[in-house]
């Protein structure tokens, strides 16, 4: 008499003293390259004919099921890879349903089934990843931040997820914290870039009418040059004057004087 996967899992859970749900994740014991999936297989016909010693089965959990392809009880698993037929066509490898049931029973009896972490844990991991990215955005340059998020943060999360699964059988999806780290990086980078550009625009508006374009570029590259503080530098100072300016201003209109001054200051700025 056939039984469903949920009945097999619930029965094994009761025997193992576990309250695992029927849709519990499974820890696969082998790549399942064979139909047995790493489990010992005994022919039902041999048992019926008495060809199998009783000691071979005594005290062991036996899962009875069919493995013939004609029964159409074949399923895909994460550990299966595609197999090629003789004609060269791609054929998806499948495992019998009885092997899936046996894997579920073994997981529950040995208490090795992966347990998904709770949403609060996922949220904490994502927040920690975002905090690391935010700190690096403040301390490092944009290029270093991108490299750190691409390599270091992603690698740390992947290693943490593998360690949690192998050491404690905890299933920690790393896609959410990695995505959160990337979103934080992109958002912080965009904000930082816009803030820097806004600061440069303010400096340009404040100094473009006071200094030459060359000096303006120096100020934009190093905004600390605009700070009024004592600094010791080696410099050359040129003092110049317009000879007879008092007489010139009395003989010409203000508009003509402005033209003369603009011409003079333009030539002297180039000097």
């Amino acid at each position: 008499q056939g039984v469903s996967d949920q009945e097999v899992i619930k029965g094994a859970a009761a025997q193992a003293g576990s309250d695992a749900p029927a849709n519990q994740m499974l820890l696969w014991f082998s790549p399942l390259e064979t139909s047995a999936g790493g489990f010992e297989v005994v022919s039902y016909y041999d048992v019926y004919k008495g060809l199998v010693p009783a000691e071979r089965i005594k005290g062991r959990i036996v899962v009875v099921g069919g493995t013939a392809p004609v029964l159409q009880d074949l399923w895909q698993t994460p550990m299966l890879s595609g197999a090629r037929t003789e004609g060269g066509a791609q054929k998806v490898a499948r495992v019998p349903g009885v092997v899936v049931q046996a894997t579920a029973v073994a997981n529950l009896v040995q208490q090795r089934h992966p347990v998904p972490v709770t949403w609060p844990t996922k949220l904490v991991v994502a927040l920690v990843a975002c905090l690391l990215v935010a700190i690096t955005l403040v301390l490092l340059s944009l290029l270093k931040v991108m490299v750190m998020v691409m390599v270091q943060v992603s690698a740390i999360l992947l290693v943490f997820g593998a360690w949690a699964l192998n050491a404690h059988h905890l299933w920690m999806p790393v896609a959410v914290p990695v995505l959160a780290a990337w979103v934080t990086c992109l958002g912080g980078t965009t904000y930082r870039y816009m803030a820097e550009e806004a600061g440069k625009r303010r400096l340009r508006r404040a100094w473009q009418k006071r200094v030459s374009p060359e000096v303006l570029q120096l100020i934009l590259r190093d905004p600390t040059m605009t700070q009024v503080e004592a600094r010791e530098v080696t410099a050359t100072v040129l003092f110049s004057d317009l000879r007879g300016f008092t007489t010139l201003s009395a003989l010409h209109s203000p508009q003509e004087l402005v033209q003369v001054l603009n011409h003079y200051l333009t030539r002297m700025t180039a000097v």
Side-chain angles (χ1 to χ4, degrees):
Q1 180 178 355
V3 294
S4 66
D5 292 350
Q6 292 191 3
E7 290 174 342
V8 171
I9 294 175
K10 289 180 179 178
Q15 179 178 346
S18 172
D19 57 353
N23 60 348
Q24 180 64 53
M25 299 176 64
L26 300 181
L27 176 64
W28 296 97
F29 297 100
S30 73
L32 301 178
E33 295 296 339
T34 63
S35 60
F39 296 100
E40 183 180 359
V41 178
V42 178
S43 171
Y44 181 83
Y45 178 82
D46 293 341
V47 175
Y48 179 76
K49 289 296 185 179
L51 302 178
V52 179
E55 292 77 11
R56 188 176 177 183
I57 301 178
K58 183 178 180 180
R60 305 177 71 176
I61 297 178
V62 178
V63 181
V64 181
T67 59
V70 70
L71 299 176
Q72 298 184 359
D73 186 25
L74 301 176
W75 306 90
Q76 290 181 275
T77 70
M79 302 299 292
L80 284 175
S81 59
R84 292 189 177 275
T85 62
E86 295 181 357
Q90 187 73 20
K91 181 181 178 182
V92 179
R94 299 176 184 270
V95 65
V98 65
V99 176
V100 179
Q101 294 177 346
T103 303
V105 172
N107 273 238
L108 292 169
V109 171
Q110 300 177 17
Q111 292 296 301
R112 295 181 61 187
H113 52 82
V115 179
V117 298
T118 60
W119 273 107
T121 303
K122 297 178 184 178
L123 181 61
V124 169
V125 174
L127 291 177
V128 170
C130 294
L131 181 61
L132 290 175
V133 175
I135 293 175
T136 56
L137 279 171
V138 176
L139 300 178
L140 302 178
S141 64
L142 296 180
L143 179 59
K144 292 181 179 180
V145 170
M146 295 296 294
V147 173
M148 182 173 182
V149 173
M150 290 175 61
V151 180
Q152 297 183 7
V153 175
S154 300
I156 290 173
L157 291 173
L158 290 174
V159 171
F160 175 76
W163 170 80
L165 180 62
N166 293 323
H168 302 283
H169 305 300
L170 294 175
W171 172 246
M172 174 64 203
V174 297
V176 173
V178 169
L179 181 61
W182 272 102
V183 171
T184 303
C185 178
L186 294 177
T189 302
T190 302
Y191 173 78
R192 183 171 170 180
Y193 175 79
M194 294 177 63
E196 291 181 356
E197 287 298 315
K200 290 182 178 180
R201 286 195 297 269
R202 287 193 297 268
L203 284 175
R204 186 177 288 108
R205 287 194 299 265
W207 291 93
Q208 64 184 357
K209 296 182 179 179
R210 304 181 185 180
V211 297
S212 64
E214 293 79 8
V215 176
L216 179 61
Q217 292 302 321
L218 294 175
I219 293 176
L220 294 178
R221 286 196 294 267
D222 185 12
T224 59
M225 295 180 61
T226 61
Q227 298 177 0
V228 181
E229 58 183 8
R231 285 184 294 180
E232 184 177 348
V233 297
T234 301
T236 300
V237 180
L238 172 64
F239 294 91
S240 65
D241 191 12
L242 285 174
R243 184 173 56 184
F245 183 76
T246 303
T247 304
L248 182 67
S249 61
L251 299 176
H252 294 81
S253 65
Q255 292 80 5
E256 293 174 337
L257 287 176
V258 169
Q259 292 180 358
V260 172
L261 289 175
N262 285 337
H263 178 73
Y264 167 76
L265 294 175
T266 301
R267 300 295 291 270
M268 296 306 297
T269 300
V271 173

